[in-house]
Amino acid sequence: MILHICKSTGGVSVIRLRNVLQNELSSLSGLCLRSKAHWGYDAEFLAACRTELTIEFHELLTTSLQVAERDATVVGLAQIKVMGANADLLKLFVEPAMLGAGIGRLLFEWATAKAHELGATRMMIEADPGAVPFYERMGALHVGSVPSQSIPDRSLPRLLMRIGSTANA
């Protein structure tokens, strides 16, 4: 468990990182959709992304997931998959009302630390175009684009985050 003190206009709150519970998979999938909707996508677009943004039970066994909570309410999540020296950031979503409060940064730091702990030296990120500036502020480098898994004829920016002893040198 990681605790982080978050300052906001409403004062100071504690953000706690913890493992995902099996009974919250549906609500976490909803958080992913709400966060994706922040970028102004319409209902048809979000429906096309629903499968990709849904967290399935088997992912608890095959990936590393972490949620951020404030006052016992989940406000964000991150998911990575590590294969040898390579990691993929599969999901990083924050409740729209909590954007800018440092939760994304905290989850990203967890993701890179966890990937490093599991032996990865680089993490690939297929990002929503609106999220690219955030990942660049975190140190990720734009390295190309990849086809969207949900929307035909759409490409997503691909970023690289070097982690561990080779971190963005």
Short mmCIF file of all heavy atoms in Angstrom, two decimals, residues 92-144:
data_model
loop_
_atom_site.label_atom_id
_atom_site.label_comp_id
_atom_site.label_asym_id
_atom_site.label_seq_id
_atom_site.Cartn_x
_atom_site.Cartn_y
_atom_site.Cartn_z
N LEU A 92 -4.53 3.45 -17.71
CA LEU A 92 -4.28 4.43 -16.66
C LEU A 92 -5.43 5.44 -16.78
O LEU A 92 -5.49 6.20 -17.74
CB LEU A 92 -2.94 5.13 -16.80
CG LEU A 92 -2.50 5.88 -15.54
CD1 LEU A 92 -1.00 6.02 -15.49
CD2 LEU A 92 -3.17 7.21 -15.35
N PHE A 93 -6.36 5.35 -15.84
CA PHE A 93 -7.54 6.20 -15.89
C PHE A 93 -7.79 6.82 -14.52
O PHE A 93 -7.56 6.20 -13.49
CB PHE A 93 -8.77 5.38 -16.31
CG PHE A 93 -8.72 4.93 -17.74
CD1 PHE A 93 -8.32 3.66 -18.07
CD2 PHE A 93 -9.05 5.81 -18.76
CE1 PHE A 93 -8.26 3.24 -19.40
CE2 PHE A 93 -8.98 5.41 -20.09
CZ PHE A 93 -8.59 4.13 -20.41
N VAL A 94 -8.27 8.06 -14.55
CA VAL A 94 -8.57 8.82 -13.34
C VAL A 94 -9.99 9.37 -13.48
O VAL A 94 -10.40 9.78 -14.56
CB VAL A 94 -7.56 9.97 -13.16
CG1 VAL A 94 -7.92 10.86 -11.98
CG2 VAL A 94 -6.14 9.41 -13.00
N GLU A 95 -10.73 9.36 -12.37
CA GLU A 95 -12.06 9.97 -12.37
C GLU A 95 -11.94 11.40 -12.89
O GLU A 95 -11.06 12.15 -12.44
CB GLU A 95 -12.67 10.00 -10.97
CG GLU A 95 -13.28 8.70 -10.53
CD GLU A 95 -14.57 8.32 -11.25
OE1 GLU A 95 -15.10 9.09 -12.08
OE2 GLU A 95 -15.04 7.20 -10.98
N PRO A 96 -12.78 11.79 -13.84
CA PRO A 96 -12.65 13.13 -14.43
C PRO A 96 -12.61 14.27 -13.41
O PRO A 96 -11.85 15.21 -13.56
CB PRO A 96 -13.87 13.22 -15.34
CG PRO A 96 -14.12 11.80 -15.74
CD PRO A 96 -13.80 10.99 -14.52
N ALA A 97 -13.40 14.17 -12.34
CA ALA A 97 -13.41 15.24 -11.33
C ALA A 97 -12.09 15.34 -10.57
O ALA A 97 -11.82 16.35 -9.93
CB ALA A 97 -14.56 15.01 -10.34
N MET A 98 -11.26 14.30 -10.67
CA MET A 98 -9.99 14.28 -9.93
C MET A 98 -8.78 14.55 -10.83
O MET A 98 -7.64 14.50 -10.35
CB MET A 98 -9.82 12.91 -9.25
CG MET A 98 -10.88 12.61 -8.19
SD MET A 98 -10.89 13.79 -6.82
CE MET A 98 -9.28 13.51 -6.13
N LEU A 99 -9.00 14.83 -12.10
CA LEU A 99 -7.90 15.13 -12.99
C LEU A 99 -7.15 16.37 -12.50
O LEU A 99 -7.77 17.33 -12.06
CB LEU A 99 -8.39 15.34 -14.42
CG LEU A 99 -8.89 14.08 -15.13
CD1 LEU A 99 -9.58 14.44 -16.43
CD2 LEU A 99 -7.75 13.11 -15.37
N GLY A 100 -5.84 16.32 -12.56
CA GLY A 100 -5.02 17.44 -12.11
C GLY A 100 -4.67 17.41 -10.64
O GLY A 100 -3.97 18.29 -10.15
N ALA A 101 -5.12 16.38 -9.92
CA ALA A 101 -4.87 16.29 -8.48
C ALA A 101 -3.64 15.45 -8.16
O ALA A 101 -3.35 15.22 -6.99
CB ALA A 101 -6.09 15.72 -7.77
N GLY A 102 -2.92 14.96 -9.16
CA GLY A 102 -1.72 14.17 -8.93
C GLY A 102 -1.94 12.67 -8.91
O GLY A 102 -1.00 11.90 -8.72
N ILE A 103 -3.17 12.24 -9.12
CA ILE A 103 -3.48 10.81 -9.07
C ILE A 103 -2.88 10.08 -10.27
O ILE A 103 -2.31 9.00 -10.13
CB ILE A 103 -5.01 10.59 -8.97
CG1 ILE A 103 -5.49 11.16 -7.64
CG2 ILE A 103 -5.37 9.12 -9.13
CD1 ILE A 103 -6.97 11.35 -7.53
N GLY A 104 -2.98 10.67 -11.45
CA GLY A 104 -2.38 10.06 -12.63
C GLY A 104 -0.88 9.89 -12.47
O GLY A 104 -0.32 8.84 -12.79
N ARG A 105 -0.22 10.91 -11.95
CA ARG A 105 1.22 10.85 -11.72
C ARG A 105 1.55 9.73 -10.73
O ARG A 105 2.47 8.95 -10.94
CB ARG A 105 1.74 12.17 -11.17
CG ARG A 105 3.22 12.13 -10.78
CD ARG A 105 3.71 13.45 -10.22
NE ARG A 105 3.74 14.49 -11.23
CZ ARG A 105 4.76 14.69 -12.07
NH1 ARG A 105 5.83 13.93 -12.00
NH2 ARG A 105 4.72 15.66 -12.96
N LEU A 106 0.80 9.64 -9.65
CA LEU A 106 1.03 8.61 -8.64
C LEU A 106 0.86 7.22 -9.25
O LEU A 106 1.69 6.32 -9.02
CB LEU A 106 0.06 8.81 -7.47
CG LEU A 106 0.22 7.90 -6.27
CD1 LEU A 106 1.57 8.09 -5.60
CD2 LEU A 106 -0.90 8.16 -5.28
N LEU A 107 -0.18 7.02 -10.04
CA LEU A 107 -0.40 5.72 -10.68
C LEU A 107 0.68 5.42 -11.71
O LEU A 107 1.11 4.28 -11.84
CB LEU A 107 -1.80 5.68 -11.31
CG LEU A 107 -2.95 5.57 -10.32
CD1 LEU A 107 -4.28 5.89 -11.00
CD2 LEU A 107 -2.99 4.17 -9.69
N PHE A 108 1.11 6.44 -12.45
CA PHE A 108 2.16 6.23 -13.44
C PHE A 108 3.47 5.84 -12.74
O PHE A 108 4.19 4.95 -13.20
CB PHE A 108 2.36 7.47 -14.30
CG PHE A 108 3.27 7.24 -15.47
CD1 PHE A 108 2.79 6.64 -16.63
CD2 PHE A 108 4.60 7.62 -15.42
CE1 PHE A 108 3.63 6.41 -17.71
CE2 PHE A 108 5.45 7.40 -16.49
CZ PHE A 108 4.97 6.78 -17.64
N GLU A 109 3.76 6.50 -11.64
CA GLU A 109 4.96 6.15 -10.87
C GLU A 109 4.88 4.73 -10.34
O GLU A 109 5.86 3.99 -10.34
CB GLU A 109 5.18 7.16 -9.74
CG GLU A 109 5.62 8.51 -10.25
CD GLU A 109 5.62 9.61 -9.19
OE1 GLU A 109 5.15 9.36 -8.04
OE2 GLU A 109 6.07 10.73 -9.50
N TRP A 110 3.69 4.31 -9.89
CA TRP A 110 3.50 2.92 -9.46
C TRP A 110 3.78 1.98 -10.64
O TRP A 110 4.49 0.97 -10.49
CB TRP A 110 2.08 2.68 -8.93
CG TRP A 110 1.83 1.20 -8.77
CD1 TRP A 110 2.18 0.42 -7.71
CD2 TRP A 110 1.27 0.32 -9.75
NE1 TRP A 110 1.86 -0.88 -7.97
CE2 TRP A 110 1.30 -0.97 -9.21
CE3 TRP A 110 0.73 0.51 -11.02
CZ2 TRP A 110 0.80 -2.08 -9.90
CZ3 TRP A 110 0.25 -0.59 -11.72
CH2 TRP A 110 0.29 -1.87 -11.16
N ALA A 111 3.21 2.30 -11.82
CA ALA A 111 3.35 1.44 -12.99
C ALA A 111 4.81 1.26 -13.39
O ALA A 111 5.26 0.14 -13.65
CB ALA A 111 2.54 2.00 -14.17
N THR A 112 5.57 2.34 -13.40
CA THR A 112 6.98 2.22 -13.79
C THR A 112 7.78 1.47 -12.71
O THR A 112 8.63 0.65 -13.05
CB THR A 112 7.62 3.59 -14.08
OG1 THR A 112 7.48 4.44 -12.95
CG2 THR A 112 6.98 4.24 -15.30
N ALA A 113 7.48 1.72 -11.46
CA ALA A 113 8.19 1.01 -10.38
C ALA A 113 7.86 -0.48 -10.40
O ALA A 113 8.75 -1.32 -10.23
CB ALA A 113 7.84 1.63 -9.02
N LYS A 114 6.60 -0.81 -10.60
CA LYS A 114 6.19 -2.22 -10.64
C LYS A 114 6.81 -2.91 -11.85
O LYS A 114 7.31 -4.05 -11.74
CB LYS A 114 4.66 -2.33 -10.68
CG LYS A 114 4.14 -3.74 -10.63
CD LYS A 114 4.43 -4.36 -9.28
CE LYS A 114 3.77 -5.71 -9.15
NZ LYS A 114 4.06 -6.33 -7.85
N ALA A 115 6.80 -2.25 -13.00
CA ALA A 115 7.41 -2.83 -14.20
C ALA A 115 8.89 -3.09 -13.96
O ALA A 115 9.41 -4.16 -14.31
CB ALA A 115 7.19 -1.92 -15.40
N HIS A 116 9.58 -2.12 -13.35
CA HIS A 116 11.00 -2.28 -13.03
C HIS A 116 11.21 -3.45 -12.07
O HIS A 116 12.11 -4.29 -12.26
CB HIS A 116 11.55 -0.99 -12.45
CG HIS A 116 13.00 -1.06 -12.09
ND1 HIS A 116 14.01 -1.24 -13.02
CD2 HIS A 116 13.61 -1.01 -10.89
CE1 HIS A 116 15.17 -1.28 -12.41
NE2 HIS A 116 14.97 -1.14 -11.11
N GLU A 117 10.38 -3.53 -11.05
CA GLU A 117 10.46 -4.62 -10.06
C GLU A 117 10.32 -5.98 -10.74
O GLU A 117 10.95 -6.96 -10.34
CB GLU A 117 9.35 -4.43 -9.02
CG GLU A 117 9.18 -5.54 -8.03
CD GLU A 117 7.93 -5.35 -7.18
OE1 GLU A 117 7.64 -4.20 -6.78
OE2 GLU A 117 7.24 -6.35 -6.93
N LEU A 118 9.50 -6.05 -11.80
CA LEU A 118 9.25 -7.30 -12.51
C LEU A 118 10.26 -7.54 -13.65
O LEU A 118 10.11 -8.48 -14.42
CB LEU A 118 7.82 -7.33 -13.05
CG LEU A 118 6.73 -7.34 -11.97
CD1 LEU A 118 5.35 -7.20 -12.59
CD2 LEU A 118 6.83 -8.60 -11.12
N GLY A 119 11.28 -6.67 -13.76
CA GLY A 119 12.36 -6.90 -14.71
C GLY A 119 12.31 -6.10 -15.99
O GLY A 119 13.18 -6.24 -16.85
N ALA A 120 11.33 -5.23 -16.15
CA ALA A 120 11.23 -4.46 -17.39
C ALA A 120 12.19 -3.28 -17.37
O ALA A 120 12.46 -2.69 -16.32
CB ALA A 120 9.80 -3.95 -17.58
N THR A 121 12.70 -2.94 -18.55
CA THR A 121 13.56 -1.77 -18.70
C THR A 121 12.91 -0.73 -19.59
O THR A 121 13.44 0.37 -19.75
CB THR A 121 14.92 -2.15 -19.31
OG1 THR A 121 14.71 -2.79 -20.57
CG2 THR A 121 15.70 -3.07 -18.37
N ARG A 122 11.77 -1.07 -20.17
CA ARG A 122 11.03 -0.11 -20.99
C ARG A 122 9.54 -0.43 -20.93
O ARG A 122 9.16 -1.59 -20.76
CB ARG A 122 11.53 -0.09 -22.42
CG ARG A 122 11.41 -1.40 -23.11
CD ARG A 122 12.10 -1.40 -24.46
NE ARG A 122 11.16 -1.93 -25.45
CZ ARG A 122 11.12 -1.58 -26.70
NH1 ARG A 122 11.97 -0.70 -27.17
NH2 ARG A 122 10.24 -2.10 -27.52
N MET A 123 8.75 0.62 -21.05
CA MET A 123 7.30 0.45 -21.03
C MET A 123 6.71 1.17 -22.24
O MET A 123 7.01 2.34 -22.48
CB MET A 123 6.72 1.03 -19.74
CG MET A 123 5.22 0.80 -19.61
SD MET A 123 4.60 1.08 -17.93
CE MET A 123 5.03 2.80 -17.66
N MET A 124 5.89 0.45 -22.99
CA MET A 124 5.22 1.02 -24.15
C MET A 124 3.83 1.49 -23.72
O MET A 124 3.17 0.86 -22.90
CB MET A 124 5.10 -0.02 -25.27
CG MET A 124 6.45 -0.55 -25.76
SD MET A 124 7.65 0.71 -26.27
CE MET A 124 6.82 1.47 -27.65
N ILE A 125 3.43 2.60 -24.31
CA ILE A 125 2.14 3.21 -23.99
C ILE A 125 1.43 3.53 -25.29
O ILE A 125 1.97 4.24 -26.14
CB ILE A 125 2.34 4.51 -23.19
CG1 ILE A 125 3.20 4.26 -21.95
CG2 ILE A 125 0.99 5.15 -22.83
CD1 ILE A 125 3.85 5.51 -21.39
N GLU A 126 0.23 2.99 -25.47
CA GLU A 126 -0.63 3.37 -26.58
C GLU A 126 -1.65 4.33 -25.98
O GLU A 126 -2.54 3.93 -25.26
CB GLU A 126 -1.30 2.15 -27.21
CG GLU A 126 -0.29 1.22 -27.85
CD GLU A 126 -0.88 -0.06 -28.40
OE1 GLU A 126 -2.12 -0.19 -28.46
OE2 GLU A 126 -0.09 -0.95 -28.76
N ALA A 127 -1.48 5.62 -26.28
CA ALA A 127 -2.20 6.65 -25.55
C ALA A 127 -3.34 7.26 -26.34
O ALA A 127 -3.27 7.37 -27.57
CB ALA A 127 -1.23 7.77 -25.16
N ASP A 128 -4.34 7.70 -25.62
CA ASP A 128 -5.35 8.57 -26.22
C ASP A 128 -4.61 9.85 -26.61
O ASP A 128 -3.75 10.33 -25.85
CB ASP A 128 -6.44 8.88 -25.20
CG ASP A 128 -7.57 9.66 -25.82
OD1 ASP A 128 -7.41 10.89 -26.01
OD2 ASP A 128 -8.61 9.06 -26.13
N PRO A 129 -4.91 10.41 -27.77
CA PRO A 129 -4.20 11.64 -28.17
C PRO A 129 -4.24 12.75 -27.11
O PRO A 129 -3.26 13.46 -26.92
CB PRO A 129 -4.91 12.07 -29.45
CG PRO A 129 -5.45 10.78 -30.01
CD PRO A 129 -5.83 9.95 -28.81
N GLY A 130 -5.35 12.85 -26.39
CA GLY A 130 -5.45 13.88 -25.37
C GLY A 130 -4.54 13.66 -24.17
O GLY A 130 -4.23 14.60 -23.44
N ALA A 131 -4.11 12.41 -23.96
CA ALA A 131 -3.27 12.09 -22.81
C ALA A 131 -1.78 12.19 -23.11
O ALA A 131 -0.96 12.10 -22.20
CB ALA A 131 -3.61 10.69 -22.30
N VAL A 132 -1.41 12.38 -24.37
CA VAL A 132 0.01 12.41 -24.74
C VAL A 132 0.79 13.45 -23.96
O VAL A 132 1.88 13.15 -23.45
CB VAL A 132 0.17 12.59 -26.27
CG1 VAL A 132 1.61 12.90 -26.65
CG2 VAL A 132 -0.32 11.34 -27.00
N PRO A 133 0.30 14.69 -23.79
CA PRO A 133 1.09 15.67 -23.00
C PRO A 133 1.39 15.19 -21.58
O PRO A 133 2.48 15.44 -21.07
CB PRO A 133 0.22 16.93 -23.01
CG PRO A 133 -0.59 16.80 -24.26
CD PRO A 133 -0.88 15.33 -24.38
N PHE A 134 0.45 14.49 -20.96
CA PHE A 134 0.69 13.95 -19.61
C PHE A 134 1.85 12.98 -19.65
O PHE A 134 2.78 13.07 -18.84
CB PHE A 134 -0.57 13.26 -19.08
CG PHE A 134 -0.30 12.39 -17.88
CD1 PHE A 134 -0.13 12.95 -16.62
CD2 PHE A 134 -0.20 11.01 -18.02
CE1 PHE A 134 0.15 12.15 -15.52
CE2 PHE A 134 0.07 10.20 -16.92
CZ PHE A 134 0.24 10.77 -15.66
N TYR A 135 1.82 12.01 -20.57
CA TYR A 135 2.88 11.01 -20.63
C TYR A 135 4.23 11.64 -20.98
O TYR A 135 5.26 11.21 -20.46
CB TYR A 135 2.52 9.90 -21.62
CG TYR A 135 1.37 9.05 -21.14
CD1 TYR A 135 0.18 8.98 -21.84
CD2 TYR A 135 1.47 8.33 -19.95
CE1 TYR A 135 -0.88 8.20 -21.39
CE2 TYR A 135 0.41 7.57 -19.49
CZ TYR A 135 -0.76 7.50 -20.21
OH TYR A 135 -1.79 6.73 -19.75
N GLU A 136 4.22 12.65 -21.81
CA GLU A 136 5.47 13.34 -22.13
C GLU A 136 6.02 14.05 -20.90
O GLU A 136 7.23 14.05 -20.67
CB GLU A 136 5.27 14.31 -23.29
CG GLU A 136 5.05 13.58 -24.61
CD GLU A 136 4.72 14.50 -25.78
OE1 GLU A 136 4.21 15.62 -25.56
OE2 GLU A 136 4.97 14.07 -26.92
N ARG A 137 5.14 14.65 -20.07
CA ARG A 137 5.60 15.26 -18.81
C ARG A 137 6.19 14.22 -17.87
O ARG A 137 7.08 14.52 -17.08
CB ARG A 137 4.46 16.00 -18.11
CG ARG A 137 4.11 17.33 -18.74
CD ARG A 137 3.18 18.16 -17.88
NE ARG A 137 1.96 17.50 -17.46
CZ ARG A 137 0.83 17.43 -18.17
NH1 ARG A 137 0.77 17.98 -19.37
NH2 ARG A 137 -0.24 16.82 -17.69
N MET A 138 5.72 12.99 -17.97
CA MET A 138 6.23 11.91 -17.14
C MET A 138 7.57 11.38 -17.66
O MET A 138 8.24 10.60 -16.99
CB MET A 138 5.24 10.74 -17.07
CG MET A 138 3.89 11.07 -16.44
SD MET A 138 4.02 11.57 -14.71
CE MET A 138 3.87 13.34 -14.87
N GLY A 139 7.96 11.81 -18.87
CA GLY A 139 9.25 11.39 -19.42
C GLY A 139 9.15 10.44 -20.61
O GLY A 139 10.18 10.01 -21.14
N ALA A 140 7.96 10.09 -21.03
CA ALA A 140 7.79 9.18 -22.17
C ALA A 140 8.10 9.93 -23.47
O ALA A 140 7.86 11.13 -23.59
CB ALA A 140 6.38 8.62 -22.20
N LEU A 141 8.60 9.19 -24.43
CA LEU A 141 8.97 9.73 -25.73
C LEU A 141 8.04 9.19 -26.80
O LEU A 141 7.76 7.98 -26.84
CB LEU A 141 10.42 9.36 -26.07
CG LEU A 141 11.46 9.74 -25.03
CD1 LEU A 141 12.80 9.11 -25.37
CD2 LEU A 141 11.56 11.24 -24.91
N HIS A 142 7.58 10.06 -27.70
CA HIS A 142 6.71 9.64 -28.80
C HIS A 142 7.56 8.87 -29.80
O HIS A 142 8.58 9.36 -30.28
CB HIS A 142 6.08 10.89 -29.45
CG HIS A 142 4.99 10.55 -30.38
ND1 HIS A 142 5.20 10.34 -31.72
CD2 HIS A 142 3.66 10.39 -30.17
CE1 HIS A 142 4.06 10.05 -32.29
NE2 HIS A 142 3.11 10.08 -31.38
N VAL A 143 7.14 7.63 -30.13
CA VAL A 143 7.94 6.79 -31.03
C VAL A 143 7.15 6.28 -32.24
O VAL A 143 7.64 5.45 -32.98
CB VAL A 143 8.57 5.59 -30.28
CG1 VAL A 143 9.61 6.08 -29.28
CG2 VAL A 143 7.51 4.72 -29.62
N GLY A 144 5.94 6.79 -32.46
CA GLY A 144 5.17 6.35 -33.62
C GLY A 144 3.69 6.27 -33.31
O GLY A 144 3.19 6.95 -32.42
#
